[in-house]
Coordinates of all heavy atoms in Angstrom, one line a residue:
R72 N -48.0 -58.4 -212.5 CA -48.2 -59.6 -211.6 C -46.9 -60.0 -211.1 O -45.8 -59.9 -211.8 CB -48.9 -60.7 -212.4 CG -50.3 -60.5 -212.7 CD -50.9 -61.5 -213.7 NE -50.8 -62.8 -213.2 CZ -51.7 -63.5 -212.5 NH1 -52.8 -62.8 -212.2 NH2 -51.6 -64.7 -212.2
R235 N -50.8 -74.0 -201.9 CA -51.4 -74.3 -203.2 C -52.9 -74.2 -203.1 O -53.6 -74.2 -204.1 CB -51.0 -75.8 -203.6 CG -49.6 -75.9 -204.0 CD -49.3 -77.4 -204.5 NE -50.1 -77.7 -205.6 CZ -49.9 -78.9 -206.3 NH1 -49.0 -79.7 -205.9 NH2 -50.6 -79.2 -207.4
C236 N -53.5 -74.2 -201.9 CA -54.9 -74.4 -201.7 C -55.7 -73.1 -201.9 O -56.9 -73.1 -201.6 CB -55.2 -75.0 -200.4 SG -54.6 -74.1 -199.0
L237 N -55.1 -72.0 -202.3 CA -55.9 -70.7 -202.4 C -56.8 -70.8 -203.6 O -56.5 -71.5 -204.6 CB -54.9 -69.5 -202.6 CG -54.0 -69.1 -201.5 CD1 -53.1 -68.0 -201.9 CD2 -54.8 -68.8 -200.2
S238 N -58.0 -70.2 -203.5 CA -58.9 -70.2 -204.6 C -58.3 -69.3 -205.7 O -57.4 -68.5 -205.5 CB -60.2 -69.5 -204.1 OG -60.1 -68.2 -203.8
K239 N -58.8 -69.5 -206.9 CA -58.3 -68.8 -208.1 C -58.4 -67.3 -207.9 O -57.4 -66.5 -208.2 CB -59.0 -69.2 -209.3 CG -58.4 -68.5 -210.6 CD -59.1 -69.0 -211.8 CE -58.5 -68.3 -213.1 NZ -58.4 -66.9 -213.0
D240 N -59.5 -66.8 -207.4 CA -59.7 -65.4 -207.2 C -58.7 -64.8 -206.2 O -58.1 -63.7 -206.3 CB -61.1 -65.0 -206.8 CG -62.1 -65.2 -207.9 OD1 -61.6 -65.3 -209.1 OD2 -63.3 -65.3 -207.7
T241 N -58.5 -65.6 -205.1 CA -57.6 -65.2 -204.1 C -56.1 -65.2 -204.6 O -55.4 -64.2 -204.3 CB -57.7 -66.1 -202.8 OG1 -59.0 -66.0 -202.3 CG2 -56.7 -65.6 -201.7
L242 N -55.8 -66.2 -205.3 CA -54.4 -66.3 -205.9 C -54.2 -65.1 -206.8 O -53.1 -64.4 -206.8 CB -54.2 -67.6 -206.7 CG -52.9 -67.7 -207.4 CD1 -51.7 -67.6 -206.4 CD2 -52.9 -69.0 -208.2
D243 N -55.2 -64.8 -207.7 CA -55.0 -63.6 -208.6 C -54.8 -62.3 -207.7 O -54.0 -61.4 -208.1 CB -56.2 -63.5 -209.5 CG -56.3 -64.5 -210.5 OD1 -55.2 -65.2 -210.8 OD2 -57.4 -64.8 -211.1
G244 N -55.6 -62.2 -206.7 CA -55.4 -61.0 -205.8 C -54.0 -60.9 -205.2 O -53.4 -59.8 -205.1
V245 N -53.5 -62.1 -204.7 CA -52.2 -62.1 -204.1 C -51.1 -61.7 -205.1 O -50.2 -60.9 -204.8 CB -51.9 -63.5 -203.5 CG1 -50.4 -63.6 -203.1 CG2 -52.8 -63.8 -202.3
L246 N -51.2 -62.3 -206.3 CA -50.2 -61.9 -207.4 C -50.3 -60.5 -207.8 O -49.3 -59.8 -208.1 CB -50.4 -62.9 -208.6 CG -50.2 -64.4 -208.3 CD1 -50.4 -65.1 -209.6 CD2 -48.8 -64.6 -207.8
K312 N -58.2 -76.6 -199.9 CA -59.1 -76.4 -201.1 C -59.8 -75.1 -201.0 O -60.4 -74.8 -200.0 CB -60.1 -77.5 -201.2 CG -61.0 -77.4 -202.4 CD -62.0 -78.5 -202.5 CE -62.9 -78.4 -203.7 NZ -63.9 -79.5 -203.8
D313 N -59.6 -74.2 -202.0 CA -60.4 -73.0 -202.2 C -60.3 -72.1 -200.9 O -61.3 -71.5 -200.5 CB -61.9 -73.3 -202.5 CG -62.0 -73.9 -203.9 OD1 -61.1 -73.7 -204.7 OD2 -63.0 -74.7 -204.1
A314 N -59.1 -72.0 -200.4 CA -59.0 -71.1 -199.2 C -58.9 -69.6 -199.6 O -58.6 -69.3 -200.8 CB -57.7 -71.5 -198.5
S315 N -59.3 -68.8 -198.7 CA -59.3 -67.3 -199.0 C -58.5 -66.6 -197.9 O -58.4 -67.1 -196.7 CB -60.7 -66.8 -199.1 OG -61.4 -66.9 -197.9
L318 N -57.1 -59.9 -198.3 CA -56.1 -59.3 -199.2 C -55.8 -57.9 -198.8 O -54.6 -57.4 -199.0 CB -56.7 -59.3 -200.7 CG -56.9 -60.6 -201.3 CD1 -57.6 -60.5 -202.7 CD2 -55.6 -61.4 -201.5

Side-chain angles (χ1 to χ4, degrees):
R72 284 168 65 88
R235 289 183 64 173
C236 57
L237 295 180
S238 67
K239 183 181 182 304
D240 289 343
T241 301
L242 176 60
D243 288 342
V245 170
L246 295 179
K312 182 180 179 182
D313 294 333
S315 63
L318 294 176

